Amino acid sequence: MTKTTGVGRPRASGAAASKREARLAVLDAAGELFTGAGYAATTTRAIAERAGLRQASLYYHFPSKEDILAALLEDTVRPSLDVAGGLSAQLAPVGTRLWALAYADIHLLGSARHNLGALYLLPEISSPRLARFRAERAELKRVYGSLVAAAGVPGDLLGIRTDLVFGLVESIAIVRRDQPELDVEAHAVEGADSVLRLAGLGEPDAELRDSARVLLED
């Protein structure tokens, strides 16, 4: 586990001390502390120290700890929404697009510097400040649901199958928490394969997987 105490990083100076870099330093420090020490136990002072900033400088970028949490969580969803948007413009079969989205989504959650997906279980998720994150996550789930529907899952099973698909994808965060050295690529492939089975599309072959990866490169 990453050590979560210390004097923080050396303070940036000159051109390196940009607003963007300071903001990213805060997010990186908070991600490390939230997933290590825990959200409730982490103070804004600890985040500022870890980021190499004064606490007042942290508040310039984020008025509260909850604002930092919101920004971190939104960053776990938006890249997948971008992938989903790109896939929607493709003429590939639904199975190929569904596999590509699940594969990319699992990779995002499994390969991020910090295991931010584990924060989805926090009680603070219901906070009004996190409404945008919840809306974007719901939109991502809706995209999965539309692909599952296009795969031919009947209406009476659509909600359940979508729940199972979305839960399977996000489960990488729990697996990663328990197995920090997991093989993300293997989990992404097996997870995407399992998503297709849940959608009733059978066992994907190497040609489908290769085609899906090509879609992600476009």
Side-chain angles (χ1 to χ4, degrees):
M1 180 179 292
T2 304
K3 188 175 181 181
T4 58
T5 58
V7 296
R9 298 181 179 84
R11 180 161 309 180
S13 61
S18 68
K19 293 179 181 179
R20 173 175 169 78
E21 288 178 339
R23 185 178 189 278
L24 290 176
V26 170
L27 291 174
D28 182 64
E32 179 181 353
L33 291 168
F34 289 170
T35 57
Y39 177 77
T42 299
T43 64
T44 53
R45 178 173 182 174
I47 295 170
E49 289 178 351
R50 178 69 60 173
L53 300 169
R54 296 185 179 88
Q55 194 169 7
S57 298
L58 180 149
Y59 288 133
Y60 172 81
H61 298 281
F62 299 99
S64 70
K65 187 172 73 168
E66 201 169 60
D67 288 297
I68 302 174
L69 177 62
L72 285 171
L73 292 178
E74 288 163 15
D75 284 346
T76 68
V77 175
R78 286 176 183 162
S80 294
L81 282 174
D82 290 341
V83 169
L87 291 173
S88 68
Q90 302 288 341
L91 298 177
V94 63
T96 305
R97 287 181 282 129
L98 180 57
W99 195 96
L101 179 58
Y103 173 83
D105 207 357
I106 294 170
H107 249 294
L108 172 69
L109 293 173
S111 302
R113 177 171 165 82
H114 306 297
N115 187 19
L116 300 176
L119 301 178
Y120 289 4
L121 301 177
L122 289 172
E124 287 80 6
I125 287 294
S126 62
S127 165
R129 178 61 189 84
L130 272 68
R132 183 163 62 182
F133 160 70
R134 293 195 303 274
E136 291 176 342
R137 184 170 172 237
E139 173 60 17
L140 181 59
K141 184 176 180 179
R142 187 200 63 76
V143 173
Y144 275 105
S146 67
L147 290 169
V148 171
V153 172
D156 59 334
L157 294 177
L158 181 58
I160 294 173
R161 293 286 181 90
T162 301
D163 287 342
L164 290 172
V165 162
F166 202 56
L168 189 157
V169 168
E170 291 190 342
S171 69
I172 186 66
I174 304 303
V175 177
R176 180 180 176 183
R177 183 194 64 189
D178 298 336
Q179 303 176 42
E181 303 303 320
L182 66 86
D183 184 338
V184 176
E185 171 64 16
H187 276 75
V189 170
E190 288 295 324
D193 284 359
S194 298
V195 162
L196 261 63
R197 296 187 201 106
L198 280 169
L201 293 172
E203 191 71 30
D205 56 21
E207 182 178 357
L208 184 148
R209 297 186 192 102
D210 290 343
S211 297
R213 289 188 176 98
V214 170
L215 289 182
L216 294 171
E217 293 171 359
D218 290 343

